[in-house]
Amino acid sequence: MIILAVESSCDETAIAITRNGREVLADEIFPQADMHALYGGVVPEIASRNHINVISKLADSALSKAGLTKADIDAVAVTYAPGLIGALLVGLNFAKGLALSLGVPLIPVHHIRGHIAANYIAFPELEPPFVSLIVSGGNTIIADVKDYTDIRIMGYSRDDAAGECFDKAARVLGLPYPGGKPMDDLAQGGDDTAFKLPIAKIDGHPYDMSFSGLKTAVVNMAHNASQKGEEFDKASLAASFTKAVSDSLVPRAMMAVEELGYDKISIAGGVAANSRIRADFEKAAKKAGVKLYAPPLKLCGDNGAMIGCQGYYEYLAGARAGSDLNAYATMEVDKIHY
Ligand code: KG4
């Protein structure tokens, strides 16, 4: 089954062509980060306008790279939630128009379910059940992936997402947007014990997380130092910050695998590209005798292939949307609304 998949939930316009879920025939991405860097974060209207500019050309180019024509498309999958509403609507309306004109099914896909599915593409042998930690710019979730479309949230960040926190910390350290990768690079030369930073715990909710206190601590340290005209070791602050994020994520996710008695854990989303977090997971998984699935960096960030892959499993489970499908800025990964 050939699926054309559309992803436009934030600042990446992406179109992929997948066959039977896990085979990627084309994966076109137009990243806009450079256009938002000037503002230190994603500007929703600029994101939407850029999606409109490129989405059609990207679809043509994906088809030509796959060596296919529109007549070969069996279904159109599209991210409909969560994300920036204007950005989502561009992809959604493009997908609706295409599905309608070709007379093929329209498959609604939850963005976070897509991130989880990135691991199915990277690891053909991976099958549920497993625990997935999804850490991106907008979400931090520990999920029990019971089956391809049966996903239960075990814990989530009560405030900022880990990626958002990386971006904010990077900004006060004078690094460009998006700050995750520059923070990763800067932390390489630092001492992760140099700064004592808070790791929040939420009473009675062992899997829930909070990153706003950590973010504020880094912002305050940087501002205090600059107000006093003091120099501080930025690399060590980046390393201490990354350790604090990793110490919030890794033990909780490992605790979830242990509680469920699974032997597999996957990580997904942009922050899953972080070298320290990946290394800490590798160590923890090895110690616990659990197999870790960490997708290649290309599949960590937003992409269309993950939407095509999850779209296939949603299709098999009976997911179909009409031309009244709406977009939603927020939606829990275990909810469905279409
Ligand atoms: O999954 P993603 O591409 O978009 C969302 O769906 O949000 O994640 C983007 C986030 C940004 O906050 C970015 O700074 C972060 O992922 N990121 C990283 C790294 N690479 C990207 N964070 C930490 N370390 C990295 N190497």
Side-chain angles (χ1 to χ4, degrees):
M1 178 182 197
I2 301 286
I3 291 181
L4 182 141
V6 181
E7 157 63 40
S8 70
S9 63
C10 191
D11 61 342
E12 262 100 18
T13 325
I15 304 270
I17 316 275
T18 56
R19 179 162 33 214
N20 298 335
R22 299 190 185 215
E23 191 187 346
V24 181
L25 305 181
D27 191 11
E28 294 291 279
I29 302 183
F30 176 76
Q32 306 176 8
D34 290 355
M35 296 158 196
H36 300 278
L38 176 66
Y39 308 97
V42 178
V43 182
E45 187 173 331
I46 294 179
S48 309
R49 288 177 182 274
N50 277 312
H51 289 317
I52 288 194
N53 285 344
V54 302
I55 200 159
S56 221
K57 282 183 225 145
L58 223 50
D60 289 343
S61 138
L63 280 168
S64 104
K65 285 203 176 149
L68 300 174
T69 68
K70 288 195 177 86
D72 297 310
I73 299 171
D74 297 312
V76 178
V78 62
T79 304
Y80 75 117
L84 300 172
I85 200 72
L88 283 166
L89 284 170
V90 175
L92 186 55
N93 279 320
F94 178 80
K96 273 187 196 178
L98 187 62
L100 198 67
S101 66
L102 296 174
V104 299
L106 178 67
I107 310 167
V109 179
H110 190 289
H111 180 73
I112 300 300
R113 291 185 179 206
H115 274 301
I116 297 170
N119 276 291
Y120 300 138
I121 298 168
F123 305 103
E125 74 282 11
L126 177 63
E127 283 177 13
F130 55 87
V131 164
S132 183
L133 170 75
I134 308 103
V135 254
S136 68
N139 292 274
T140 307
I141 298 169
I142 297 171
D144 174 5
V145 184
K146 292 165 180 286
D147 207 339
Y148 292 102
T149 56
D150 183 3
I151 296 160
R152 186 173 68 88
I153 297 176
M154 297 184 74
Y156 63 99
S157 173
R158 295 286 186 101
D159 40 53
D160 299 331
E164 199 178 331
C165 201
F166 262 103
D167 293 338
K168 184 72 187 184
R171 193 169 167 178
V172 295
L173 293 180
L175 299 172
Y177 173 85
K181 174 75 173 82
M183 282 285 277
D184 198 346
D185 296 341
L186 179 64
Q188 301 303 323
D191 169 8
D192 66 7
T193 61
F195 294 87
K196 194 135 189 56
L197 295 167
I199 298 172
K201 286 202 169 91
I202 294 158
D203 261 358
H205 299 274
Y207 295 111
D208 283 356
M209 296 155 276
S210 160
F211 293 99
S212 66
L214 174 62
K215 180 177 84 177
T216 308
V218 173
V219 170
N220 287 346
M221 272 178 196
H223 284 169
N224 284 344
S226 87
Q227 274 164 2
K228 291 181 195 153
E230 286 171 5
E231 283 296 316
F232 64 96
D233 181 356
K234 289 187 177 173
S236 292
L237 186 53
S240 304
F241 167 83
T242 309
K243 178 182 174 352
V245 175
S246 188
D247 287 350
S248 289
L249 300 173
V250 180
R252 282 188 173 91
M254 294 309 299
M255 189 167 72
V257 191
E258 196 184 330
E259 185 187 315
L260 294 168
Y262 293 167
D263 58 358
K264 289 174 266 186
I265 181 162
S266 82
I267 56 174
V271 182
N274 186 269
S275 58
R276 167 72 191 258
I277 296 170
R278 287 171 91 96
D280 286 353
F281 260 117
E282 263 159 37
K283 265 186 251 153
K286 199 169 171 199
K287 196 167 161 214
V290 166
K291 173 106 177 86
L292 171 71
Y293 293 89
L297 302 195
K298 183 174 172 277
L299 285 169
C300 286
D302 291 349
N303 63 84
M306 68 186 199
I307 302 303
C309 180
Q310 183 61 23
Y312 175 71
Y313 292 107
E314 298 288 346
Y315 178 85
L316 294 183
R320 307 285 186 277
S323 49
D324 56 350
L325 176 64
N326 215 331
Y328 300 89
T330 57
M331 187 184 295
E332 289 176 359
V333 69
D334 51 0
K335 301 275 183 313
I336 285 175
H337 193 90
Y338 51 84

